[in-house]
Amino acid sequence: MTNISNLASLKLSEVSLSLLLPLYIRALETPRPNAILRDDRAVEVVEKLKLNSFNFTQAQVREEVQISILLRNRQFDRITTIFLSCYPGAVVVHLGCGLDARFERLDNGKVEWYDLDLPEVINLRRELINGETERCHLLACSALEPTWMDLVSIHLPRQFLFLAEGLFMYFEEQQVKGLVRALQDRFPNSELVFDAFSPLYAWGNNLRVTRTHIGAEA
């Protein structure tokens, strides 16, 4: 597998580059004795990408930002675990999955799982993680494209859980509303879990992007 030594070689858009921050934070947290969240796959991917050579220092990403991202990751894990305890054979669609190996962390042996992201991200994911199995599938498209709904709807009437972590902040308001309405129409009785960002948080994110040149403005 190819070692990637600089950001330019990743050929990712600004929005897609935003996946590197939570990935790196999970890798930093994993070896700590009282880790908020452990993700051995994140450690492996960070080593392959050689992200230690970049400016992901605490001076640029404050401790409270790191903690908030870790708590968000953990809460999404917990909600998914609870959902699967109620519906073990459900379908989970992780919108904007990035390089998160949530399926590996939460697989109960019955869930049908879809990791969805832009083609450039899915291509990188195939190289670094792969992870496709009989029950874990990769979808290379925007969450705003309706075609992916046609693909996953073959599992109806099973229960569906849609995860949108750190995603909606990059969409326009009308795009979010349109996606939510489409999910409601196509997958009645499904659940959608997402996080919302205040104008102040968006401002802080944009300031970090300007300082680190990693990611995209909200």
Side-chain angles (χ1 to χ4, degrees):
M1 193 168 292
T2 304
N3 283 327
I4 302 172
S5 58
N6 59 76
L7 291 179
S9 67
L10 296 181
K11 298 179 181 179
L12 296 176
S13 65
E14 289 183 348
V15 171
S16 296
L17 277 173
S18 62
L19 64 84
L20 296 178
L21 181 60
L23 171 74
Y24 188 72
I25 289 174
R26 290 195 302 274
L28 282 180
E29 182 71 8
T30 294
R32 293 177 179 169
N34 298 315
I36 295 174
L37 180 146
R38 287 190 169 86
D39 188 342
D40 293 330
R41 178 68 80 170
V43 175
E44 175 187 325
V45 173
V46 163
E47 291 175 352
K48 290 177 180 177
L49 290 174
K50 301 181 180 178
L51 290 185
N52 290 307
S53 63
F54 301 108
N55 295 323
F56 289 96
T57 64
Q58 288 191 359
Q60 292 182 311
V61 182
R62 300 188 310 276
E63 183 178 5
E64 59 266 30
V65 174
Q66 297 183 47
I67 292 174
S68 69
I69 290 176
L70 289 166
L71 290 175
R72 183 184 72 186
N73 283 176
R74 187 176 71 178
Q75 186 64 10
F76 270 74
D77 278 7
R78 286 178 171 176
I79 291 173
T80 305
T81 299
I82 292 171
F83 183 87
L84 292 178
S85 70
C86 297
Y87 310 104
V91 180
V92 176
V93 183
H94 188 176
L95 304 172
C97 62
L99 295 177
D100 192 337
R102 178 165 279 134
F103 173 76
E104 293 184 6
R105 297 197 299 272
L106 306 183
D107 181 23
N108 65 355
K110 297 180 179 179
V111 62
E112 197 81 27
W113 193 285
Y114 288 86
D115 281 323
L116 180 151
D117 214 313
L118 297 173
E120 60 194 23
V121 176
I122 294 301
N123 288 339
L124 182 61
R125 187 180 182 92
R126 290 184 192 279
E127 180 179 355
L128 296 171
I129 300 176
N130 194 11
E132 284 190 282
T133 69
E134 291 183 355
R135 291 183 294 101
C136 183
H137 319 280
L138 300 181
L139 297 174
C141 63
S142 167
L144 301 175
E145 296 177 20
T147 52
W148 68 264
M149 295 187 193
D150 297 331
L151 293 172
V152 304
S153 64
I154 63 172
H155 299 292
L156 287 169
R158 293 164 71 175
Q159 295 288 331
F160 275 77
L161 174 66
F162 299 95
L163 305 175
E165 180 182 358
L167 177 65
F168 286 169
M169 66 187 293
Y170 298 112
F171 293 163
E172 299 293 334
E173 180 180 347
Q174 291 305 314
Q175 291 176 316
V176 174
K177 289 182 177 179
L179 176 58
V180 172
R181 292 191 184 111
L183 292 176
Q184 184 179 35
D185 292 341
R186 297 287 300 273
F187 306 94
N189 302 318
S190 63
E191 294 189 26
L192 168 65
V193 183
F194 63 93
D195 47 343
F197 299 88
S198 68
L200 179 60
Y201 188 97
W203 175 84
N205 173 80
N206 294 343
L207 181 63
R208 175 188 58 76
V209 169
T210 300
R211 185 171 63 243
T212 63
H213 305 291
I214 301 297
E217 293 188 358

